[in-house]
Structures are given as structure tokens and as C-alpha cells.
Amino acid sequence: MGQRTVPGHRPMTRPRTPNTSSHAVLRIAARLGGFDAAATVARRSERCVRDWSDEATPSCPSWAQAVALDAAYRAAGGEGAPLYEAYGAQLDLRFNDLTACHAALATNLAEASREWGEAIGAATMLAVPGFSPNQALTADIELDQAETRLKGLRRLVKRFLPGAVPGKPGGAQ
């Protein structure tokens, strides 16, 4: 995590997470010469821009403000576009989470299918006259394992439902 100071202001002692909008706003303010200059570009108060640079504050620049701030950053000699780059990094993280959730779903489906097949196979043996107590115990164990896998699969599938909690694995975020 990098620390930056904004000219004309007390040093920033709180580290910012790279590739976040708060870190990007801090980089822009430092390049422009302070939060007051960034506030002028964004047409917001200095306090508002300071809040944008605070990870604990959920607010961030609008699309138009982000474009204006990135353009001013570049015009002041900065390389790249910090808010645009932060957006891209966050998009990549979210997409990777989504891809991982689909992979987890496929794995869980395969495991639940295997357990269910073993449970049905073991329980079917009880339909044959002369089954042993060991076969009945095996069927019970296999059904318990299948039930456990299906419960885990259900928990994962619920994460894909609309309204799933953001930040939790799942497809519907």
C-alpha cells in the first residue's frame, strides 16, 4: 500500500489500497497540487474530495467527475488515468470472482452428482433380497454424504440469486 502526500496539506498517514478510487483520488490531488485544486476540477468541496480519498467513506466521484479529474491529472503531467485504471482493476477483480464462482459451481455439481450416484447405487442394493447389514450401513453413509454435498451445493446456488450479498462469491452480484 502506497502513501502519498498532497502539497500544502498535512502528510497522509493512512495507507491506501492501490487500484481503488480512494487511492486514485489521492494520486490526482497530489499531482494537481492539493485537494483544493482537485475540488475545483470536480466542482465539489474540498471536504468532498477528501472524503473520496478515504477508503472508509463509500462515496466516490461520478463518471463525469472521474473523467474531468483524470483529464486534469494528465494535463498536469501525470502518466495514465488513475480513476480509469482503478475502475479497470476493480472490474477485473469482480470478473475473476465471477469466473471463480462458476468454477466452484461446476466442481460442486460434479461432486454432488458423484455422491448422489453412489448413494442411489448403494440404496438400490437394499431392494435385492438377502442384503447384508453392512450394505444397509453403506447405503446410510452414502446418503449422508450425498445430503451433505447437496446442502453445500444449495448454499452456493443461493449466492447466484438476485440480491446476493455483494462481495460474497456468486454470480448475481
Side-chain angles (χ1 to χ4, degrees), residues 95-113 149-160 168-171 173:
F95 180 75
N96 291 341
D97 285 347
L98 182 63
T99 303
C101 290
H102 285 102
L105 179 62
T107 299
N108 275 272
L109 280 168
E111 291 171 355
S113 296
R149 288 287 183 187
L150 287 172
K151 284 179 181 177
L153 180 59
R154 171 170 274 157
R155 282 191 303 274
L156 182 60
V157 166
K158 285 183 186 242
R159 294 178 181 172
F160 283 82
K168 298 276 187 182
Q173 297 180 27

Side-chain angles (χ1 to χ4, degrees), residues 120-137:
I120 294 300
T124 301
M125 296 305 296
L126 302 181
V128 178
F131 66 86
S132 70
N134 191 39
Q135 287 174 307
L137 181 60

Side-chain angles (χ1 to χ4, degrees), residues 21-75:
S21 64
S22 60
H23 184 254
V25 169
L26 187 63
R27 284 179 54 203
I28 291 168
R31 171 59 66 177
L32 297 181
F35 286 107
D36 53 342
T40 300
V41 170
R43 297 183 179 181
R44 289 292 183 261
S45 69
E46 184 177 335
R47 179 75 250 153
C48 176
V49 176
R50 281 182 183 279
D51 284 346
W52 291 342
S53 75
D54 184 354
E55 287 185 10
T57 304
S59 64
C60 60
S62 71
W63 185 257
Q65 291 162 338
V67 170
L69 287 166
D70 276 346
Y73 176 84
R74 247 191 219 172

Side-chain angles (χ1 to χ4, degrees), residues 70-97:
D70 276 346
Y73 176 84
R74 247 191 219 172
E79 290 290 322
L83 285 162
Y84 176 76
E85 293 161 11
Y87 172 83
Q90 295 301 311
L91 177 63
D92 287 346
L93 286 173
R94 181 58 60 102
F95 180 75
N96 291 341
D97 285 347

